[in-house]
Amino acid sequence: MKKLCLAAMVAATLLGCNVGDEVVEHSGIDIDNLSQADLQNYANITADALTVVAKAAKDCAENLPVGNSNECYIPEIQGNIDIAVAKGRIKVEKQTDRVVIHTVEAMQFTTHNAITDGEIISLTLNEKTDDDYIMTMNNSNQITFKGMLVNTADNDATYWSTESTSPLTYRYNINEVHPYITNGSAIISGKDNQHFTWSADANGYISVTR
């Protein structure tokens, strides 16, 4: 069963396995042996991918009545953000004080980031992968999240997960070059419970600490 789940994740179907954390724990990135530059690159990819999902969710939930849900494809973002979306679809559920966001179809994307070399990355925020894989956005545009990313073009299938430790604020207006997230932090986890922290400052700059 575990092999079937791993195969499903590599194929980005990510349905019905409930083993996301287990896969990262046993087959995740070896954080202790990564350089500081590699940590920064993983953090940048992760923050950019989450920002793309946050913008898609914000747009998808626009004018949605409380108690209703909607599904939308994840579009390309114009501007300087280094994410080219290949495909992906989200479901948003409007609650009184927040929007709950899941990926119905994992977001697949490419980036020029040095650790990927143009390969396909997949991000899932889906409770069918693990019960607590989710993103939320409150009425002040603060987001919390837990999800998993996988380098689907890598022969060794590189996995990592990310989870917010303090809410990050999604920011975007028509005068900005691109959307960004600010004023919060998260961890990235790899194999054997190795992890590091990434943070966004008030200007959206991403920094990392071991």
Side-chain angles (χ1 to χ4, degrees):
M1 178 63 182
K2 185 173 180 180
K3 289 183 178 179
L4 290 175
C5 288
L6 286 168
M9 289 179 184
V10 172
T13 55
L14 297 166
L15 296 175
C17 293
N18 290 319
V19 294
D21 284 349
E22 182 182 349
V23 169
V24 172
E25 172 72 14
H26 291 90
S27 304
I29 57 176
D30 187 2
I31 289 172
D32 288 351
N33 288 312
L34 293 178
S35 68
Q36 193 72 11
D38 285 340
L39 298 183
Q40 185 69 55
N41 283 325
Y42 275 108
N44 289 344
I45 286 177
T46 302
D48 281 352
L50 291 165
T51 302
V52 171
V53 172
K55 184 180 189 305
K58 182 74 172 177
D59 294 344
C60 191
E62 187 75 20
N63 299 320
L64 189 66
V66 171
N68 287 33
S69 63
N70 193 21
E71 291 190 13
C72 299
Y73 288 100
I74 302 171
E76 289 281 2
I77 289 182
Q78 302 300 316
N80 292 336
I81 199 163
D82 188 22
I83 292 284
V85 177
K87 63 179 179 178
R89 190 159 50 97
I90 55 170
K91 179 179 180 180
V92 298
E93 302 171 27
K94 188 70 169 289
Q95 299 180 358
T96 303
D97 59 346
R98 65 177 186 166
V99 174
V100 176
I101 304 140
H102 289 104
T103 50
V104 177
E105 179 183 15
M107 184 178 80
Q108 294 186 34
F109 62 93
T110 58
T111 170
H112 294 103
N113 190 293
I115 62 169
T116 67
D117 194 28
E119 295 172 340
I120 297 172
I121 308 297
S122 180
L123 166 65
T124 181
L125 300 153
N126 191 307
E127 75 277 14
K128 292 181 179 179
T129 307
D130 249 302
D131 291 340
D132 55 355
Y133 279 15
I134 191 175
M135 177 184 282
T136 67
M137 180 183 291
N138 69 16
N139 294 337
S140 299
N141 291 333
Q142 290 182 314
I143 62 170
T144 61
F145 51 82
K146 184 178 181 183
M148 185 178 71
L149 296 97
V150 53
N151 186 337
T152 57
D154 192 323
N155 289 333
D156 295 324
T158 307
Y159 300 90
W160 68 98
S161 65
T162 189
E163 181 176 7
S164 55
T165 52
S166 64
L168 292 105
T169 301
Y170 166 78
R171 299 188 184 279
Y172 178 71
N173 63 61
I174 59 174
N175 297 316
E176 299 288 350
V177 176
H178 57 79
Y180 57 102
I181 50 179
T182 67
N183 296 328
S185 60
I187 59 171
I188 285 176
S189 298
K191 73 175 187 178
D192 300 331
N193 201 32
Q194 299 171 18
H195 63 271
F196 68 94
T197 298
W198 62 271
S199 303
D201 68 12
N203 296 313
Y205 175 77
I206 305 299
S207 60
V208 299
T209 54
R210 288 189 184 271

